[in-house]
Short mmCIF file of all heavy atoms in Angstrom, two decimals:
data_model
loop_
_atom_site.label_atom_id
_atom_site.label_comp_id
_atom_site.label_asym_id
_atom_site.label_seq_id
_atom_site.Cartn_x
_atom_site.Cartn_y
_atom_site.Cartn_z
N ARG A 1 -17.50 67.68 -10.63
CA ARG A 1 -16.38 67.90 -9.72
C ARG A 1 -15.27 68.60 -10.49
O ARG A 1 -14.94 68.18 -11.60
CB ARG A 1 -15.87 66.57 -9.16
CG ARG A 1 -16.84 65.88 -8.22
CD ARG A 1 -16.36 64.43 -7.94
NE ARG A 1 -17.16 63.76 -6.95
CZ ARG A 1 -18.33 63.16 -7.21
NH1 ARG A 1 -18.83 63.16 -8.42
NH2 ARG A 1 -18.99 62.54 -6.24
N TYR A 2 -14.69 69.63 -9.87
CA TYR A 2 -13.57 70.36 -10.47
C TYR A 2 -12.30 69.97 -9.72
O TYR A 2 -12.27 70.00 -8.48
CB TYR A 2 -13.75 71.87 -10.35
CG TYR A 2 -14.95 72.45 -11.06
CD1 TYR A 2 -15.47 73.67 -10.64
CD2 TYR A 2 -15.57 71.83 -12.14
CE1 TYR A 2 -16.56 74.24 -11.28
CE2 TYR A 2 -16.66 72.39 -12.77
CZ TYR A 2 -17.15 73.60 -12.35
OH TYR A 2 -18.23 74.17 -12.97
N PHE A 3 -11.25 69.66 -10.46
CA PHE A 3 -9.96 69.27 -9.88
C PHE A 3 -8.86 70.20 -10.39
O PHE A 3 -8.93 70.70 -11.52
CB PHE A 3 -9.60 67.84 -10.27
CG PHE A 3 -10.55 66.80 -9.75
CD1 PHE A 3 -11.68 66.46 -10.48
CD2 PHE A 3 -10.31 66.17 -8.54
CE1 PHE A 3 -12.57 65.50 -10.00
CE2 PHE A 3 -11.20 65.21 -8.06
CZ PHE A 3 -12.33 64.88 -8.79
N ASP A 4 -7.81 70.37 -9.58
CA ASP A 4 -6.66 71.17 -10.02
C ASP A 4 -5.59 70.24 -10.60
O ASP A 4 -5.79 69.01 -10.67
CB ASP A 4 -6.12 72.04 -8.89
CG ASP A 4 -5.51 71.27 -7.73
OD1 ASP A 4 -5.30 70.03 -7.84
OD2 ASP A 4 -5.24 71.91 -6.69
N ALA A 5 -4.46 70.81 -10.99
CA ALA A 5 -3.40 70.03 -11.64
C ALA A 5 -2.82 68.95 -10.74
O ALA A 5 -2.35 67.92 -11.23
CB ALA A 5 -2.29 70.97 -12.11
N ALA A 6 -2.87 69.17 -9.43
CA ALA A 6 -2.35 68.17 -8.48
C ALA A 6 -3.37 67.06 -8.23
O ALA A 6 -3.08 66.11 -7.51
CB ALA A 6 -1.98 68.85 -7.17
N GLY A 7 -4.57 67.18 -8.79
CA GLY A 7 -5.61 66.18 -8.58
C GLY A 7 -6.46 66.44 -7.35
O GLY A 7 -7.30 65.62 -6.99
N ASP A 8 -6.26 67.60 -6.70
CA ASP A 8 -7.05 67.93 -5.52
C ASP A 8 -8.45 68.38 -5.94
O ASP A 8 -8.61 69.11 -6.92
CB ASP A 8 -6.39 69.06 -4.73
CG ASP A 8 -5.07 68.64 -4.12
OD1 ASP A 8 -4.97 67.48 -3.66
OD2 ASP A 8 -4.13 69.46 -4.11
N LEU A 9 -9.44 67.93 -5.20
CA LEU A 9 -10.82 68.30 -5.46
C LEU A 9 -11.05 69.74 -5.03
O LEU A 9 -10.87 70.07 -3.86
CB LEU A 9 -11.78 67.36 -4.71
CG LEU A 9 -13.27 67.65 -4.87
CD1 LEU A 9 -13.72 67.52 -6.33
CD2 LEU A 9 -14.07 66.70 -3.98
N LEU A 10 -11.43 70.58 -5.97
CA LEU A 10 -11.68 71.98 -5.66
C LEU A 10 -13.14 72.25 -5.33
O LEU A 10 -13.43 73.04 -4.45
CB LEU A 10 -11.27 72.86 -6.85
CG LEU A 10 -9.80 72.81 -7.25
CD1 LEU A 10 -9.56 73.70 -8.46
CD2 LEU A 10 -8.92 73.23 -6.08
N TYR A 11 -14.05 71.62 -6.06
CA TYR A 11 -15.47 72.00 -5.94
C TYR A 11 -16.35 70.86 -6.41
O TYR A 11 -16.01 70.14 -7.34
CB TYR A 11 -15.72 73.24 -6.81
CG TYR A 11 -17.06 73.89 -6.61
CD1 TYR A 11 -17.26 74.81 -5.59
CD2 TYR A 11 -18.14 73.59 -7.43
CE1 TYR A 11 -18.50 75.41 -5.39
CE2 TYR A 11 -19.38 74.18 -7.23
CZ TYR A 11 -19.55 75.09 -6.22
OH TYR A 11 -20.77 75.68 -6.02
N VAL A 12 -17.50 70.72 -5.77
CA VAL A 12 -18.54 69.76 -6.17
C VAL A 12 -19.83 70.54 -6.36
O VAL A 12 -20.18 71.37 -5.51
CB VAL A 12 -18.76 68.66 -5.11
CG1 VAL A 12 -19.90 67.73 -5.52
CG2 VAL A 12 -17.49 67.87 -4.86
N GLY A 13 -20.53 70.28 -7.45
CA GLY A 13 -21.78 70.97 -7.69
C GLY A 13 -22.77 70.10 -8.43
O GLY A 13 -22.47 68.98 -8.84
N CYS A 14 -23.97 70.63 -8.60
CA CYS A 14 -25.07 69.93 -9.26
C CYS A 14 -25.78 70.94 -10.16
O CYS A 14 -26.05 72.07 -9.74
CB CYS A 14 -26.01 69.40 -8.18
SG CYS A 14 -27.59 68.80 -8.76
N SER A 15 -26.09 70.52 -11.38
CA SER A 15 -26.78 71.42 -12.29
C SER A 15 -27.46 70.63 -13.40
O SER A 15 -27.03 69.54 -13.74
CB SER A 15 -25.78 72.39 -12.93
OG SER A 15 -26.43 73.24 -13.87
N HIS A 16 -28.50 71.23 -13.96
CA HIS A 16 -29.12 70.61 -15.14
C HIS A 16 -28.49 71.16 -16.41
O HIS A 16 -28.74 70.68 -17.50
CB HIS A 16 -30.65 70.81 -15.13
CG HIS A 16 -31.10 72.20 -15.38
ND1 HIS A 16 -30.99 73.20 -14.45
CD2 HIS A 16 -31.67 72.76 -16.46
CE1 HIS A 16 -31.47 74.32 -14.95
NE2 HIS A 16 -31.88 74.09 -16.17
N ARG A 17 -27.61 72.17 -16.24
CA ARG A 17 -26.89 72.75 -17.38
C ARG A 17 -25.43 72.98 -16.98
O ARG A 17 -25.02 74.11 -16.71
CB ARG A 17 -27.54 74.07 -17.79
CG ARG A 17 -29.01 73.92 -18.15
CD ARG A 17 -29.67 75.23 -18.46
NE ARG A 17 -29.45 76.21 -17.39
CZ ARG A 17 -29.82 77.48 -17.46
NH1 ARG A 17 -30.43 77.93 -18.51
NH2 ARG A 17 -29.60 78.30 -16.45
N PRO A 18 -24.61 71.93 -16.92
CA PRO A 18 -23.24 72.07 -16.43
C PRO A 18 -22.39 73.09 -17.19
O PRO A 18 -21.59 73.80 -16.59
CB PRO A 18 -22.65 70.67 -16.56
CG PRO A 18 -23.80 69.75 -16.70
CD PRO A 18 -24.94 70.55 -17.24
N ALA A 19 -22.56 73.18 -18.50
CA ALA A 19 -21.75 74.14 -19.28
C ALA A 19 -22.11 75.58 -18.91
O ALA A 19 -21.23 76.43 -18.78
CB ALA A 19 -21.94 73.90 -20.77
N ILE A 20 -23.39 75.84 -18.74
CA ILE A 20 -23.82 77.18 -18.34
C ILE A 20 -23.39 77.46 -16.91
O ILE A 20 -22.96 78.57 -16.57
CB ILE A 20 -25.34 77.35 -18.55
CG1 ILE A 20 -25.64 77.35 -20.05
CG2 ILE A 20 -25.86 78.62 -17.88
CD1 ILE A 20 -27.10 77.31 -20.41
N ARG A 21 -23.46 76.46 -16.07
CA ARG A 21 -23.02 76.63 -14.67
C ARG A 21 -21.53 76.94 -14.63
O ARG A 21 -21.08 77.76 -13.83
CB ARG A 21 -23.35 75.37 -13.86
CG ARG A 21 -23.13 75.55 -12.39
CD ARG A 21 -24.12 76.57 -11.80
NE ARG A 21 -23.89 76.72 -10.39
CZ ARG A 21 -23.56 77.88 -9.81
NH1 ARG A 21 -23.47 78.99 -10.52
NH2 ARG A 21 -23.34 77.93 -8.52
N TRP A 22 -20.74 76.30 -15.50
CA TRP A 22 -19.30 76.58 -15.59
C TRP A 22 -19.08 78.06 -15.92
O TRP A 22 -18.25 78.73 -15.32
CB TRP A 22 -18.64 75.68 -16.63
CG TRP A 22 -17.23 76.07 -16.95
CD1 TRP A 22 -16.79 76.66 -18.10
CD2 TRP A 22 -16.08 75.90 -16.13
NE1 TRP A 22 -15.44 76.87 -18.04
CE2 TRP A 22 -14.97 76.41 -16.84
CE3 TRP A 22 -15.87 75.37 -14.85
CZ2 TRP A 22 -13.68 76.40 -16.32
CZ3 TRP A 22 -14.57 75.37 -14.35
CH2 TRP A 22 -13.50 75.88 -15.08
N ALA A 23 -19.83 78.57 -16.89
CA ALA A 23 -19.72 79.98 -17.27
C ALA A 23 -20.06 80.89 -16.09
O ALA A 23 -19.41 81.92 -15.88
CB ALA A 23 -20.62 80.29 -18.47
N GLU A 24 -21.07 80.51 -15.31
CA GLU A 24 -21.42 81.29 -14.11
C GLU A 24 -20.28 81.25 -13.09
O GLU A 24 -19.93 82.28 -12.50
CB GLU A 24 -22.71 80.76 -13.50
CG GLU A 24 -23.93 80.98 -14.34
CD GLU A 24 -25.16 80.21 -13.86
OE1 GLU A 24 -25.07 79.39 -12.93
OE2 GLU A 24 -26.23 80.45 -14.45
N HIS A 25 -19.71 80.07 -12.88
CA HIS A 25 -18.58 79.95 -11.95
C HIS A 25 -17.41 80.81 -12.41
O HIS A 25 -16.72 81.42 -11.59
CB HIS A 25 -18.12 78.50 -11.82
CG HIS A 25 -18.98 77.65 -10.95
ND1 HIS A 25 -19.28 77.95 -9.64
CD2 HIS A 25 -19.62 76.48 -11.20
CE1 HIS A 25 -20.05 77.01 -9.13
NE2 HIS A 25 -20.27 76.11 -10.06
N LYS A 26 -17.17 80.86 -13.71
CA LYS A 26 -16.05 81.66 -14.23
C LYS A 26 -16.23 83.14 -13.90
O LYS A 26 -15.27 83.86 -13.71
CB LYS A 26 -15.90 81.45 -15.74
CG LYS A 26 -15.24 80.12 -16.06
CD LYS A 26 -15.19 79.84 -17.54
CE LYS A 26 -14.30 80.79 -18.27
NZ LYS A 26 -14.15 80.45 -19.70
N THR A 27 -17.48 83.57 -13.81
CA THR A 27 -17.77 84.96 -13.46
C THR A 27 -17.65 85.20 -11.96
O THR A 27 -17.08 86.20 -11.52
CB THR A 27 -19.19 85.34 -13.93
OG1 THR A 27 -19.26 85.17 -15.34
CG2 THR A 27 -19.53 86.76 -13.57
N THR A 28 -18.17 84.27 -11.16
CA THR A 28 -18.22 84.48 -9.71
C THR A 28 -16.99 83.95 -8.97
O THR A 28 -16.70 84.41 -7.88
CB THR A 28 -19.47 83.82 -9.11
OG1 THR A 28 -19.45 82.42 -9.38
CG2 THR A 28 -20.74 84.45 -9.68
N ARG A 29 -16.31 82.95 -9.51
CA ARG A 29 -15.14 82.35 -8.87
C ARG A 29 -14.00 82.20 -9.88
O ARG A 29 -13.54 81.10 -10.15
CB ARG A 29 -15.48 80.97 -8.30
CG ARG A 29 -16.66 80.87 -7.35
CD ARG A 29 -16.46 81.50 -5.99
NE ARG A 29 -15.40 80.98 -5.18
CZ ARG A 29 -15.48 79.95 -4.35
NH1 ARG A 29 -16.59 79.28 -4.23
NH2 ARG A 29 -14.45 79.59 -3.63
N PRO A 30 -13.54 83.31 -10.47
CA PRO A 30 -12.54 83.19 -11.54
C PRO A 30 -11.24 82.53 -11.11
O PRO A 30 -10.62 81.81 -11.89
CB PRO A 30 -12.32 84.65 -11.98
CG PRO A 30 -12.76 85.48 -10.83
CD PRO A 30 -13.86 84.70 -10.17
N GLY A 31 -10.82 82.76 -9.88
CA GLY A 31 -9.58 82.14 -9.40
C GLY A 31 -9.68 80.64 -9.34
O GLY A 31 -8.75 79.92 -9.72
N VAL A 32 -10.81 80.15 -8.84
CA VAL A 32 -11.02 78.69 -8.78
C VAL A 32 -11.03 78.12 -10.18
O VAL A 32 -10.35 77.13 -10.46
CB VAL A 32 -12.33 78.35 -8.04
CG1 VAL A 32 -12.62 76.86 -8.12
CG2 VAL A 32 -12.26 78.79 -6.60
N CYS A 33 -11.78 78.74 -11.06
CA CYS A 33 -11.89 78.22 -12.43
C CYS A 33 -10.55 78.23 -13.15
O CYS A 33 -10.27 77.32 -13.94
CB CYS A 33 -12.95 79.00 -13.22
SG CYS A 33 -14.61 78.67 -12.60
N ALA A 34 -9.72 79.22 -12.88
CA ALA A 34 -8.40 79.27 -13.51
C ALA A 34 -7.53 78.10 -13.07
O ALA A 34 -6.65 77.66 -13.81
CB ALA A 34 -7.71 80.59 -13.17
N ALA A 35 -7.79 77.57 -11.88
CA ALA A 35 -7.00 76.45 -11.36
C ALA A 35 -7.52 75.09 -11.82
O ALA A 35 -6.83 74.09 -11.68
CB ALA A 35 -6.99 76.49 -9.83
N VAL A 36 -8.72 75.05 -12.38
CA VAL A 36 -9.32 73.79 -12.78
C VAL A 36 -8.62 73.25 -14.02
O VAL A 36 -8.49 73.93 -15.03
CB VAL A 36 -10.84 73.96 -13.07
CG1 VAL A 36 -11.43 72.69 -13.67
CG2 VAL A 36 -11.57 74.33 -11.78
N THR A 37 -8.16 72.00 -13.91
CA THR A 37 -7.54 71.33 -15.06
C THR A 37 -8.31 70.08 -15.47
O THR A 37 -8.06 69.54 -16.54
CB THR A 37 -6.08 70.94 -14.77
OG1 THR A 37 -6.05 70.04 -13.66
CG2 THR A 37 -5.24 72.17 -14.48
N LYS A 38 -9.22 69.65 -14.62
CA LYS A 38 -9.99 68.44 -14.92
C LYS A 38 -11.39 68.60 -14.36
O LYS A 38 -11.57 69.07 -13.24
CB LYS A 38 -9.31 67.22 -14.29
CG LYS A 38 -9.99 65.90 -14.58
CD LYS A 38 -9.20 64.77 -13.95
CE LYS A 38 -9.83 63.43 -14.23
NZ LYS A 38 -9.06 62.34 -13.59
N VAL A 39 -12.38 68.18 -15.13
CA VAL A 39 -13.78 68.20 -14.71
C VAL A 39 -14.33 66.80 -14.89
O VAL A 39 -14.15 66.19 -15.95
CB VAL A 39 -14.61 69.20 -15.54
CG1 VAL A 39 -16.07 69.17 -15.13
CG2 VAL A 39 -14.05 70.61 -15.43
N LYS A 40 -14.96 66.29 -13.87
CA LYS A 40 -15.67 65.00 -13.95
C LYS A 40 -17.15 65.27 -13.80
O LYS A 40 -17.57 65.91 -12.84
CB LYS A 40 -15.21 64.04 -12.86
CG LYS A 40 -13.86 63.43 -13.08
CD LYS A 40 -13.59 62.37 -12.02
CE LYS A 40 -12.27 61.69 -12.24
NZ LYS A 40 -12.01 60.67 -11.20
N ILE A 41 -17.94 64.76 -14.74
CA ILE A 41 -19.39 64.93 -14.70
C ILE A 41 -20.03 63.55 -14.68
O ILE A 41 -19.67 62.69 -15.49
CB ILE A 41 -19.88 65.74 -15.91
CG1 ILE A 41 -19.25 67.14 -15.92
CG2 ILE A 41 -21.40 65.84 -15.90
CD1 ILE A 41 -19.61 67.98 -17.12
#
């Protein structure tokens, strides 16, 4: 789960490689990733 600075839930996903998935998100959804301040796995 990706959260912004206000604690709002931005995105929920599933992966067997969360770090690689994060890198993919940074390419496809850079605005969302720029807002992420907290990740819960």
